[in-house]
């Protein structure tokens, strides 16, 4: 079959024929689905679906032998004080009540996606849910159909999405993962007991299509499945999915407009909201999901995001999907996170039109568009903003020891495990000694609280009216080096501090249009910091923002 929606339709027809083979007068012709799904654009698939924005224009020509119950969507529907187990019981009862309302003898099947795709956005079934609804269906003699056109064949980190729960469907529709887009093929997978029912009757499925069993599509599907099996790619999708999920949560959970990050394997989703507490969707006039897709395709962002709307009520709600190939590696995953985060923060900057304060008496505001703190366990911090009030600084000389910077977004790890730290930031430098960048502070674990006696700070510092690349190292007392740069107000600057040949080097990475490093300009070597690489030493790495004196202009 050429398309996923046709596999869904074939499953529905096969379900109906299953009952007719046993009883030609069987009244079972009603399908129950869940609210707000999408099964495809053909007539039958559109009829059972409920994504209102896509369905409503065609209601007068679609079959009406369909009804809908609530989806398993705890983010939206779990009631206050209700446990997940109680929620599952409530949903199973709602389905049972719908059987009773329609008449159990009239219901042909309950159809659902075990992990919802574009409509709700990677909503997974809670433990026990699939088993509970299958029990309801079989108790009333109906079949259960799983639509795994999007989520099946390895996408979730298992060959089938239902394997997480061990609940086998009667019929399953598969599609996209069958040939990975190298052809156009889909299929229904059929349980033995359904096949046995057909054999006892006509022994033939009353169905046919122009391009069914097309040899080119079949060859493509067989080769794709061979490559997946030989390369153990489903296992890789599972392992890389753990990393992808961890980094997505780390980078996006704190964003004020991210409602939820959810997913499995190579199938993840970010839902955007106007308010985290109420989960109110954003104004649809913003066209947020579409804007993110278009921004991702722009030069310099270079990522294809899958946008969708309607995840809240069928009309409202913005989200995008990330569905990387099964072959991704850890560096690929990190690059995906980096590029996706740049898109999200760029679009929301534009939406808010949030200006950085320019009044010298206000706080110095530093925007970190991305930060990577690499140790033996790679860590990414999300884009964030740091405000440094007047009188903040790091400096040490005889009779003067200052450590008053905002202590935020700090990563702490054993000193000997340090590999590299990289930040990208922008700010409006106006006052003398306004500075922004990165700070590293080694110390004994028992003495790790600030203020630190040893440290390195590197970034942009305003001196003599111009921005300079500034590197200050403090073993006993601080010493400073300055390099004039042509940084403009609000321009993004990238700096890297890395372990090279047993010492610490400060680099300015030169990036190409897609954000990849094409060259590193060495700025300074610091030899003493790694001399303390004993087991009891730790290294704090964090964001640097300071405004030493708000009363002196940069020309003062």
């Amino acid at each position: 079959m050429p398309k996923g929606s046709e596999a869904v339709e074939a499953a529905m027809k096969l379900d109906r024929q299953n009952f007719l083979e046993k009883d030609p007068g069987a009244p079972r012709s009603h399908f129950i689905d869940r609210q707000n799904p999408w099964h495809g654009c053909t007539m039958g698939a559109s009829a059972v679906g409920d994504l209102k924005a896509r369905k409503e224009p065609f209601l007068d020509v679609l079959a009406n032998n369909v009804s809908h119950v609530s989806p398993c969507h705890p983010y939206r529907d779990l009631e206050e004080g209700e446990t997940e187990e109680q929620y599952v019981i409530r949903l199973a009862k709602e389905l049972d009540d719908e059987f009773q309302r329609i008449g159990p003898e009239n219901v042909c099947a309950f159809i659902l996606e075990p992990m919802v795709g574009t409509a709700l956005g990677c909503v997974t079934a809670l433990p026990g849910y699939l088993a509970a609804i299958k029990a309801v269906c079989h108790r009333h003699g109906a079949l259960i159909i799983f639509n795994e056109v999007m989520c099946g064949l390895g996408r979730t980190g298992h060959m089938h999405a239902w394997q997480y729960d061990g609940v086998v469907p009667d019929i399953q529709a598969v599609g996209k993962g069958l040939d990975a887009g190298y052809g156009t093929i889909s299929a229904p997978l059929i349980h033995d007991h359904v096949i046995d029912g057909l054999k006892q009757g006509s022994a033939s499925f009353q169905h046919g299509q122009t391009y069914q069993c097309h040899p080119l599509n079949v060859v493509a599907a067989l080769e794709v499945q061979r490559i997946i099996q030989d390369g153990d790619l489903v296992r890789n999708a599972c392992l890389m999915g753990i990393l992808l999920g961890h980094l997505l949560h780390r980078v996006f959970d704190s964003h004020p407009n991210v409602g939820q990050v959810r997913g499995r394997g190579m199938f993840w989703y970010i839902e955007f909201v106007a308010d985290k507490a109420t989960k109110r969707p954003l104004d649809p006039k913003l066209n947020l999901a579409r804007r993110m897709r278009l921004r991702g395709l722009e030069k310099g962002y270079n990522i294809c995001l899958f946008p969708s709307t309607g995840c809240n009520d069928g009309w409202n709600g913005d989200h995008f999907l990330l569905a990387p190939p099964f072959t991704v590696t850890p560096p690929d995953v990190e690059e995906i996170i980096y590029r996706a985060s740049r898109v999200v923060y760029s679009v929301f900057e534009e939406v808010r039109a949030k200006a950085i304060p320019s009044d010298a008496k206000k706080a110095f505001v530093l925007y970190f568009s991305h930060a990577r703190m690499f140790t033996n366990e790679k860590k990414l911090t999300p884009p964030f903003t740091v405000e440094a009030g007047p009188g903040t600084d790091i400096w040490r000389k005889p009779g003067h020891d200052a450590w008053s910077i905002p202590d935020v977004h700090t990563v702490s790890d054993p000193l000997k495990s340090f590999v590299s730290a990289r930040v990208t930031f922008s700010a409006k430098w106006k006052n003398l000694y306004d500075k922004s960048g990165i700070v590293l502070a080694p110390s004994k674990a028992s003495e790790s609280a600030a203020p630190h006696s040893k440290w390195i700070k590197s970034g942009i510092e305003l001196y003599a009216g111009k921005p300079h690349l500034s590197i200050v190292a403090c073993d006993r007392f601080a010493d400073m080096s300055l390099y004039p740069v042509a940084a403009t107000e609000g321009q993004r600057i990238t700096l890297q501090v890395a372990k090279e040949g047993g010492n610490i080097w400060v680099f300015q990475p030169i990036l190409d249009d897609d954000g990849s490093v094409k060259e590193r300009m060495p700025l300074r070597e610091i030899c003493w910091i790694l001399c303390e690489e004993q087991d009891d030493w730790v290294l704090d790495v964090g964001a640097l923002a300071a405004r030493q004196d708000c009363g002196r202009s940069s020309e003062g």
Side-chain angles (χ1 to χ4, degrees), residues 104-124:
E105 72 283 357
N106 296 317
V107 178
C108 196
F110 181 46
I111 180 170
L112 74 152
E113 294 174 279
M115 185 173 180
V116 184
T118 55
L120 293 181
C122 297
V123 175
T124 57

Side-chain angles (χ1 to χ4, degrees), residues 55-75:
K55 181 176 181 177
E56 188 168 276
F58 312 105
L59 284 175
D60 56 346
V61 296
L62 296 177
N64 58 10
N65 58 328
V66 177
S67 58
H68 299 90
V69 294
S70 299
C72 183
H73 194 356
Y75 173 68

Side-chain angles (χ1 to χ4, degrees), residues 182-196:
Y182 289 100
T184 54
I185 188 170
S186 64
L189 307 181
I190 310 165
H191 198 287
D192 287 345
H193 75 83
V194 179
I195 295 293
D196 291 341

Side-chain angles (χ1 to χ4, degrees), residues 351-404:
V351 168
R352 295 192 189 96
K354 184 177 181 181
I356 298 175
S358 58
D359 186 342
K361 294 185 179 181
K362 293 184 178 179
F364 176 55
V365 179
L366 171 64
Y367 174 69
F368 282 77
S369 61
H370 201 69
R372 300 186 184 200
M373 311 303 184
F374 288 173
T375 60
N376 59 334
E377 296 181 2
K378 295 188 176 181
K379 301 180 180 180
L380 280 78
T381 57
F384 53 86
T385 299
V386 177
E387 293 190 9
T392 51
D393 193 19
I394 302 177
W395 192 252
R396 198 173 197 212
K397 63 182 181 180
H400 179 77
D401 189 0
W403 184 287
S404 55

